[in-house]
Amino acid sequence: MAGSRFGSFKSEKGDPAATAAQRRDPYEVLGVGRNATDQEIKSAFRRMALKYHPDKNGDDPVASDMFQEVTFSYNILSDPDKRRQYDTSGFEAIEADSQELELDLSSLNTVNTVFAALFSKLGVPIKTTVSATVLEEALNGSVMVSQLQLGNSVHRKVEKQSAHFYSVDITEKEAKMGLVCRVKSTDRSKFKLLYFELEENGGLSLALQEDSVKTGKVTSAGMYFLGFPVYRFEQNNLAAAAKDPDSAFFKRLDSFQPCDINELKPGTHFFAVYGDNFFRSVNYTIEVVCGESFPAEKEKLQSVEAKILTKRAELSKFETEYREVLAKFTEMTSRYTQEMQAIDNLLKERNEIHASYTNNSPLKRSSSRSKAKSPSKFSKGEEENSQRKEKRVKDQPTGGCRSADEDSNEKKTKERFPKKKWLNIPFKIDRRKPC
């Protein structure tokens, strides 16, 4: 969208101050005060998004720019951490915290849903909104609504970017005991569970929406109207968790926020299942039950959520302690490495000094040691000849006499007939004759 005011700063990686100067205050864009509640911000966004949505305004570039600006502003103010950063230091703080490309895919159509699916498979979380066409038809009262009985399950298939609407009638007693609506898909397809309020003109306006999440082998979403504050939980950004696991852990419960509606009044209520899958239809099962049949579950839910709130408060204190200990640990491990290296260097230097106490050069010392260990072959041979001579003298009989010819003949015989060994036993031939 060349030349669009929002597009000019949305994904640039230039000077942060220059791009921030072109942006409008998110509170101003949504028309809310700085002390606005989450519900007020959400209502303002819903109203303006429906007004400027491209599906409703065709090729109007002004409306398209406004819709992107409204979406960008809502992405900041709907995130507690980003809103706190913006309130403290403006856009620069948000850009310094994350230089990642911001993707506005809330106006997906049949063409760019392909890119959204690819980003989703790569692990990039993508927030989508309900098609403006569906919202406008609901607001005009031109949607088909099916009656749904309490306790009965309905299995259907909804096409992508389309919605099935249901109505449920509850009595005063059932309203007091609470109502729960749950949807699941065994295909693990993405969908949205929507709750609509009835307008005076007979139309339906979107009041709540829950995105499906993967739970085991299914995707599911639920809404709980039990007469006491029930909380909703959004999964944190996977990319941020991979970048800084510690921060992701301590911010894990920041998105644990109370639902906008805690209880329903007697009468007719409207739900819808929106096909949020990018390429194909969604098979789902929807069921609405009364809380009267689940007293133990209501009590457990209230108790567990209270513990989660306590844990969220504890995490803030624990993070401070953890950061201090982690900094000290990092300092100690760095010192440990330095001390180990210093000791190794000193010991090496000491050994070199010890080795230097000698008058011989290292080459001469090595040569002398080699000579001492390896005597010459000549010396060894002389020693063996001497041993053989001594043995012959010992073997000669005392008092015997031999001529020189006999000695010569014996020598020749030994040369012609060398000693024979059998099983390492020497055999001697004694050819000596008495005188």
Side-chain angles (χ1 to χ4, degrees), residues 11 21-22 51 57 156 221 238 286:
S11 58
Q22 304 176 34
K51 179 179 179 181
N57 293 275
R156 292 186 64 185
L238 298 179
I286 184 173

Side-chain angles (χ1 to χ4, degrees), residues 251-281:
K251 295 177 181 179
R252 186 177 180 183
L253 299 181
D254 286 356
S255 60
F256 191 69
Q257 301 295 332
C259 296
D260 300 327
I261 303 176
N262 297 324
E263 57 184 350
L264 300 177
K265 297 180 180 180
T268 304
H269 297 274
F270 299 89
F271 296 92
V273 179
Y274 178 75
D276 207 21
N277 190 286
F278 294 116
F279 297 112
R280 56 191 177 90
S281 57

Side-chain angles (χ1 to χ4, degrees), residues 421-434:
K421 294 184 178 181
W422 180 257
L423 296 176
N424 294 328
I425 301 176
F427 292 92
K428 297 181 180 180
I429 302 176
D430 190 2
R431 298 179 179 276
R432 289 174 299 181
K433 298 179 179 180

Side-chain angles (χ1 to χ4, degrees), residues 70-131:
V70 166
T71 305
F72 179 79
S73 300
Y74 178 71
N75 286 338
I76 295 177
L77 300 185
S78 62
D79 187 310
D81 187 50
K82 289 183 179 179
R83 182 178 180 182
R84 181 169 57 252
Q85 290 178 339
Y86 174 78
D87 291 341
T88 302
S89 304
F91 289 113
E92 290 82 358
I94 299 176
E95 290 186 347
D97 182 68
S98 176
Q99 294 293 339
E100 298 174 359
L101 178 66
E102 295 177 10
L103 300 174
D104 173 33
L105 299 175
S106 54
S107 59
L108 297 176
N109 51 40
T110 56
V111 177
N112 54 23
T113 48
V114 176
F115 298 99
L118 292 177
F119 280 113
S120 180
K121 290 182 178 180
L122 292 175
V124 179
I126 299 175
K127 292 183 177 180
T128 58
T129 58
V130 180
S131 169

Side-chain angles (χ1 to χ4, degrees), residues 411-428:
K411 184 176 181 181
K412 291 180 181 180
T413 303
K414 288 182 178 180
E415 291 176 354
R416 293 174 58 190
F417 302 97
K419 294 181 179 180
K420 297 182 180 180
K421 294 184 178 181
W422 180 257
L423 296 176
N424 294 328
I425 301 176
F427 292 92
K428 297 181 180 180

